Amino acid sequence: DTAVSQTPKYLVTQMGNDKSIKCEQNLGHDTMYWYKQDSKKFLKIMFSYNNKELIINETVPNRFSPKSPDKAHLNLHINSLELGDSAVYFCASSQWDEQFFGPGTRLTVL
Amino acid sequence: KNEVEQSPQNLTAQEGEFITINCSYSVGISALHWLQQHPGGGIVSLFMLSSGKKKHGRLIATINIQEKHSSLHITASHPRDSAVYICAVSRNPYNTDKLIFGTGTRLQVFP
C-alpha cells in the first residue's frame, strides 16, 4: 500500500496548456507539501498545507494553484504552462518528524 | 550562497570503502534531514536529527549544532548505495515549516 502516491508519473504537454497533478497520502498526516526539482536536481519547496490550510507559499507564480479538498489530498494545478515549468514535482507528507515523499511527476513542457 | 552546503558534490568509491558526506548550514534549525534519491528518482528519508548521532544499519549520521555541521557516514559501502544524498534543514520543531535543501552529493560505488 503506497504511503504517498502521485498521478500522473509522467506528463508531457504543450506550452500554454493547463494541467493538474494529484497527490494522496494514506498516513493520516496533517501536513503536505509540493516540491519542485529542477534539471540540476535541486529541490525547492513550493507550498505547504497543514490540515487543509495553506502554511507556506514560496515565491511561486500564481499560475500554480494548490488545492487541498481534505487533509489526505493536495493537488497542484498549473495554468498557462511555460517551458521553465519542466521539472520533477514531488509531493510529500509529514507529521512531527520525517517527510514521506511521493514518487514524483516528471513534467515536460514542449 | 546557499543556506545549506554539501561536500563533495560528486563522490566515487570502491565497494567496501568508508564514505563521508558533509553538510554545513548557516541558519538556525530545529532539525536536519538526510535524504536519499535513487537513480529511479524516488526520495527516501534516511535520518532526522537535532543533536548527537543516529545509526541505521551501515549508515551513521552525526550533527554538531554549535558548528552547524552534519556528516553522513556509510560503512562497508556497496554498489546499491549509489544514489544522490541530500541534506536538508527545517526551522520549525513541528515540521510544518519548509525544508531548505542542499545541492546533493552524487555517490557512485563500484564493485
Side-chain angles (χ1 to χ4, degrees):
Chain A
D1 225 8
T2 307
V4 183
S5 58
Q6 290 179 233
T7 53
K9 192 167 171 60
Y10 299 96
L11 187 51
V12 181
T13 188
Q14 298 284 339
M15 234 171 32
N17 283 351
D18 303 339
K19 289 292 176 187
S20 292
I21 307 171
K22 295 187 175 182
C23 177
E24 177 181 0
Q25 55 99 0
N26 61 8
L27 298 165
H29 290 168
D30 285 336
T31 309
M32 295 184 73
Y33 309 81
W34 276 110
Y35 296 98
K36 180 180 179 181
Q37 187 173 44
D38 62 24
S39 57
K40 294 183 179 176
K41 301 288 191 183
F42 186 64
L43 275 160
K44 195 165 181 189
I45 183 118
M46 300 175 69
F47 300 103
S48 168
Y49 268 72
N50 183 267
N51 220 347
K52 303 194 299 173
E53 288 193 26
L54 181 65
I55 303 291
I56 296 169
N57 181 349
E58 287 292 286
T59 49
V60 178
N62 57 16
R63 298 182 294 103
F64 290 79
S65 51
K67 293 240 178 355
S68 182
D70 56 61
K71 74 173 196 179
H73 295 85
L74 181 62
N75 304 322
L76 184 65
H77 189 76
I78 315 170
N79 287 328
S80 304
L81 278 155
E82 300 177 357
L83 293 176
D85 297 333
S86 294
V88 180
Y89 293 84
F90 286 95
C91 176
S93 73
S94 72
Q95 184 88 5
W96 304 109
D97 43 39
E98 71 180 295
Q99 298 212 357
F100 293 81
F101 288 81
T105 295
R106 182 175 294 277
L107 170 65
T108 304
V109 182
L110 304 174
Chain B
K1 191 172 188 258
N2 204 25
E3 292 165 298
V4 181
E5 297 281 351
Q6 284 183 240
S7 63
Q9 283 191 322
N10 294 285
L11 185 54
T12 57
Q14 288 295 124
E15 185 172 355
E17 284 185 8
F18 180 84
I19 287 161
T20 296
I21 300 170
N22 295 301
C23 176
S24 297
Y25 53 91
S26 57
V27 295
I29 70 168
S30 56
L32 183 140
H33 304 251
W34 281 103
L35 309 171
Q36 181 191 55
Q37 185 170 28
H38 271 282
I43 298 174
V44 175
S45 175
L46 297 174
F47 294 102
M48 190 198 78
L49 62 167
S50 52
S51 66
K53 177 178 171 177
K54 285 190 177 179
K55 184 175 189 290
H56 289 155
R58 296 180 293 107
L59 300 177
I60 303 165
T62 63
I63 187 168
N64 184 319
I65 297 291
Q66 286 73 31
E67 293 185 4
K68 295 188 174 177
H69 181 269
S70 174
S71 293
L72 176 68
H73 305 286
I74 305 175
T75 61
S77 60
H78 191 275
R80 66 173 174 267
D81 297 325
S82 298
V84 176
Y85 292 84
I86 303 168
C87 172
V89 299
S90 56
R91 305 183 66 181
N92 182 312
Y94 303 104
N95 210 30
T96 56
D97 202 348
K98 61 183 183 182
L99 286 185
I100 304 170
F101 295 88
T103 51
T105 295
R106 184 176 299 276
L107 170 66
Q108 287 184 291
V109 181
F110 294 100

